[in-house]
Amino acid sequence: MAKAPGKAAPERSRSAEETEQIRQALTERRDELQAEYDQSLTELTVMQRERLEDSAGDDQADTGTKTLEREQEITLANNLLERVTQVERAIERLGEGNYGWCERCGNAIPVERLAAFPVATRCVSCKQLEERR
């Protein structure tokens, strides 16, 4: 996106110490999410095995309930995987020098937003515009 004439691009500088602190926090978060995801896959496998062993005599309602539970567990696992991917992307952006800068307008993302949502890729204004569409 082109910048308005006469408007200087914001300076994108961060000390090596700040960058390392952010990288460490993001890496820890990614590792936590990855551990949750791995645990959910293990639980899914165990649940699936139990369902197969314990499905004799199930009627349609039992089968439907078990299917719904399995789909919910799969959805939760997929959400965890998506969050892991978002954090990995934030780590990549940090390495590229783009972390903390809006992908749409190029302005700084407020520190408060990054503290609440460390994988944010858009400033509040651009995110609001995106959600209105």
Side-chain angles (χ1 to χ4, degrees):
M1 173 171 254
K3 301 282 182 219
K7 185 177 179 184
E11 185 179 328
R12 293 185 180 201
S13 64
R14 184 179 285 121
S15 74
E17 183 179 328
E18 289 173 319
T19 300
E20 189 51 38
Q21 287 174 347
I22 295 167
R23 183 183 319 283
Q24 185 175 3
L26 289 171
T27 300
E28 287 173 10
R29 184 65 182 141
R30 181 201 57 208
D31 293 347
E32 290 169 6
L33 289 169
Q34 185 66 53
E36 276 186 65
Y37 175 71
D38 293 343
Q39 179 65 30
S40 71
L41 287 183
T42 300
E43 290 172 5
L44 268 171
T45 302
V46 169
M47 288 171 62
Q48 184 64 23
R49 209 174 289 131
E50 289 172 357
R51 285 185 188 119
L52 289 174
E53 293 170 358
D54 189 34
S55 62
D58 283 357
D59 61 13
Q60 286 181 332
D62 291 333
T63 301
T65 299
K66 288 179 181 181
T67 300
L68 178 64
E69 289 172 355
R70 184 181 73 243
E71 288 174 358
Q72 288 174 333
E73 293 297 325
I74 290 170
T75 298
L76 291 173
N78 286 337
N79 287 342
L80 282 169
L81 184 58
E82 176 62 27
R83 291 169 58 198
V84 168
T85 302
Q86 288 175 344
V87 175
E88 287 174 344
R89 179 66 185 123
I91 293 169
E92 287 174 17
R93 293 181 71 229
L94 182 65
E96 296 166 353
N98 295 324
Y99 181 78
W101 301 96
C102 181
E103 289 182 336
R104 184 172 178 268
C105 69
N107 291 329
I109 298 172
V111 174
E112 297 83 7
R113 177 161 168 71
L114 290 171
F117 189 59
V119 297
T121 59
R122 306 222 173 187
C123 66
V124 175
S125 299
C126 290
K127 186 63 177 174
Q128 288 172 340
L129 282 172
E130 179 184 289
E131 289 176 353
R132 285 187 199 138
R133 293 179 185 175

